[in-house]
Structure formats: structure tokens, C-alpha cells
Amino acid sequence: MDEPAANGGEREADSDGEKEGDIDGGPETEVDVDNESDVFENTPGGGTTPAARPITPDAPTAFGLVQVWWGDGKGKTTAAMGMGLRAAGNGFRVHMLQFMKGGASSVEAVRGEYNAIEALPGFSYENLGHYGWHGMADGSDDVDHEREARSGLERARDLVSAANEADLTTPFPLDSDPDEGVHMLVLDEILYAVESDLIEPESVIELLDDKPDSLEVVLTGGHAEPVYLLEHADLVTEVAKRRHPFDDGQRARRGTEY
């Protein structure tokens, strides 16, 4: 009887009772487990254990996708910043532009991610929102939120225009101005701005249509599915909430939420 394989498929026993399966989701191959070099050939880096190395300017060879991260779960901005960290660690130039990144009264006047980004070569950020959230009756002015969201859109257009003028196939100095071009642009919470009717969906689509082919763009935010982007994105991830400590009264915690 066939036994289940680790990847959910089935593997058939050969005449000696041995199992033949795929490696890392690839095609099924015969591997001589007694030959160490054959085993290493089927592992990342050919069996070389990755080690930290100095960050030096470099340019990506496979960037240019549009990523969308949305949903009612925690982790959208976290995922985007994680990719930014990974890109910067490879020497690529990354910039994060935050729309309406507010916070409740439990959030202190510190953001751990800003401190970390400041210390990381090749990664920069700017926040065009202010404390509070649109439509939350938290004392902040919704008119200010709208003005700042529109300013964020204009700033995003400037950054995309700068990327169009730059050669994204070449490295940028790690401390270069984002107006000189970046390899990855994170538009954090822009989907919330659309969901709150602060900017138009068509404006976001136009922005993506105008981007150079080699610019990786990551858009985050929003609890409602951004249907208007589904035909314009290469990766769409819904971050779904199954349980959240906020529902039990847990306030934002320093080091996890900010």
C-alpha cells in the first residue's frame, strides 16, 4: 500500500522497499545518500551554511512585482518590513512610505521599527500621517487625515517618478536619497487610505501603471479585499484574524505593536 509522502502526495516503494520522493518540492530524483556532494547539491547554497556578511550596495536581478497584503489580522506591516529588511540585507535600496500610521493613546512616542531602520544601511522611511485614526472619534481631525493621505499619494508619485529616472539595474549608495531611486518601495497602510475614501482606487492603479518594470512595490493595509487591485498585483496575501489579544482588552505592547 502506498504511504503518504511528506508533501501530501504518495510515494511508491521500489523493489528494495526504499522510497523515492522529491526534494524541496522539485522533481523526483535518485540521490545517493552516501555521496555527500550529491546531497549538498540539492540544498540551498550547495550545502554552505549562510553566515552574516557586511552589507554592500548591490542591485536585484528579479525585482519588479506588485505585492498586496491585506486583512483583519496582525502582521501586514510586519511582513512588509521583514521583506524590506531582507532586501536591505542584500544591499538593495529600500524605502517605506507610511500613510495614516496612527495609534491609540496606549502607544508611546516611540516606534521600535524606526530605531531599527535608522540603524540598518539601505533602508529608510517617512511617515506622512499623524497619531489617531480616521473615523475613530479619537480626537484627531478627519480633515487632517484626508489631507495627509493625499500628500502621501503625491509623495508616492514622486518616488515612482524618481525610480523611472534611475537605473534600477545598478546599486545605489546605501545612504542615498530615495528621490534618487530605490529598488523596493513599501506603501504602508495605503489600502486603509483607499478603504476610508481618502484617496481613490483609480489613483493607486495609475501609480502602479506608472512604475518602472524593475521596481518592487509592496502595498499594505485594509480589512476589505482590495478587489480593484487583484488584476494589477502579482502577489496577494490575506492576513486573517483567528484570535487577537486586543479582543480580550490587551493594549498595544511596546516591542510587538510599536
Side-chain angles (χ1 to χ4, degrees), residues 6-34:
N7 62 1
E10 292 184 343
R11 298 182 300 176
E12 294 184 356
D14 61 19
S15 58
D16 297 322
E18 298 294 330
K19 306 298 181 186
E20 178 185 329
D22 61 357
I23 296 178
D24 196 26
E28 293 187 351
T29 55
E30 292 281 358
V31 177
D32 180 0
V33 295
D34 294 324

Side-chain angles (χ1 to χ4, degrees), residues 72-156:
D72 63 354
K74 171 180 169 61
K76 301 179 287 294
T77 295
T78 303
M81 288 192 296
M83 281 184 289
L85 181 151
R86 183 174 286 161
N90 278 286
F92 308 154
R93 188 66 180 85
V94 181
H95 188 68
M96 178 172 66
L97 175 64
Q98 293 189 307
F99 291 69
M100 54 188 302
K101 193 70 175 184
S105 59
S106 60
V107 177
E108 301 173 40
V110 61
R111 291 225 183 252
E113 60 265 39
Y114 293 172
N115 300 338
I117 289 173
E118 192 70 24
L120 182 62
F123 201 158
S124 56
Y125 74 92
E126 56 188 300
N127 184 333
L128 298 186
H130 67 277
Y131 279 88
W133 285 98
H134 179 272
M136 292 295 287
D138 52 15
S140 59
D141 193 330
D142 284 353
V143 173
D144 289 342
H145 286 296
E146 182 175 1
R147 183 182 66 251
E148 290 165 356
R150 293 188 180 280
S151 294
L153 179 62
E154 288 304 315
R155 178 61 177 147

Side-chain angles (χ1 to χ4, degrees), residues 2-247:
D2 296 338
E3 78 173 283
N7 62 1
E10 292 184 343
R11 298 182 300 176
E12 294 184 356
D14 61 19
S15 58
D16 297 322
E18 298 294 330
K19 306 298 181 186
E20 178 185 329
D22 61 357
I23 296 178
D24 196 26
E28 293 187 351
T29 55
E30 292 281 358
V31 177
D32 180 0
V33 295
D34 294 324
N35 187 329
E36 191 174 72
S37 63
D38 284 350
V39 175
F40 282 167
E41 186 175 330
N42 291 279
T43 64
T48 301
T49 301
R53 62 186 68 180
I55 298 175
T56 57
D58 202 349
T61 58
F63 269 21
L65 302 186
V66 173
Q67 301 190 31
V68 172
W69 292 74
W70 72 280
D72 63 354
K74 171 180 169 61
K76 301 179 287 294
T77 295
T78 303
M81 288 192 296
M83 281 184 289
L85 181 151
R86 183 174 286 161
N90 278 286
F92 308 154
R93 188 66 180 85
V94 181
H95 188 68
M96 178 172 66
L97 175 64
Q98 293 189 307
F99 291 69
M100 54 188 302
K101 193 70 175 184
S105 59
S106 60
V107 177
E108 301 173 40
V110 61
R111 291 225 183 252
E113 60 265 39
Y114 293 172
N115 300 338
I117 289 173
E118 192 70 24
L120 182 62
F123 201 158
S124 56
Y125 74 92
E126 56 188 300
N127 184 333
L128 298 186
H130 67 277
Y131 279 88
W133 285 98
H134 179 272
M136 292 295 287
D138 52 15
S140 59
D141 193 330
D142 284 353
V143 173
D144 289 342
H145 286 296
E146 182 175 1
R147 183 182 66 251
E148 290 165 356
R150 293 188 180 280
S151 294
L153 179 62
E154 288 304 315
R155 178 61 177 147
R157 286 171 174 158
D158 290 343
L159 291 167
V160 168
S161 178
N164 271 304
E165 296 295 323
D167 183 358
L168 302 189
T169 66
T170 62
F172 297 115
L174 299 178
D175 61 352
S176 64
D177 192 302
D179 289 293
E180 297 174 6
V182 296
H183 299 115
M184 175 183 285
L185 177 61
V186 179
L187 302 177
D188 187 40
E189 313 295 12
I190 188 173
L191 303 184
Y192 277 125
V194 174
E195 192 172 304
S196 298
D197 296 323
L198 302 180
I199 58 179
E200 299 295 327
E202 293 77 16
S203 298
V204 179
I205 294 172
E206 290 173 4
L207 184 71
L208 297 177
D209 287 342
D210 289 342
K211 86 172 188 68
D213 290 342
S214 297
L215 177 63
E216 190 90 1
V217 177
V218 184
L219 306 95
T220 78
H223 286 188
E225 183 178 18
V227 178
Y228 58 95
L229 285 179
L230 298 184
E231 297 300 321
H232 301 270
D234 302 284
L235 180 152
V236 179
T237 298
E238 178 184 1
V239 181
K241 182 183 77 171
R242 291 294 177 264
R243 185 170 184 175
H244 200 303
F246 283 5
D247 298 334

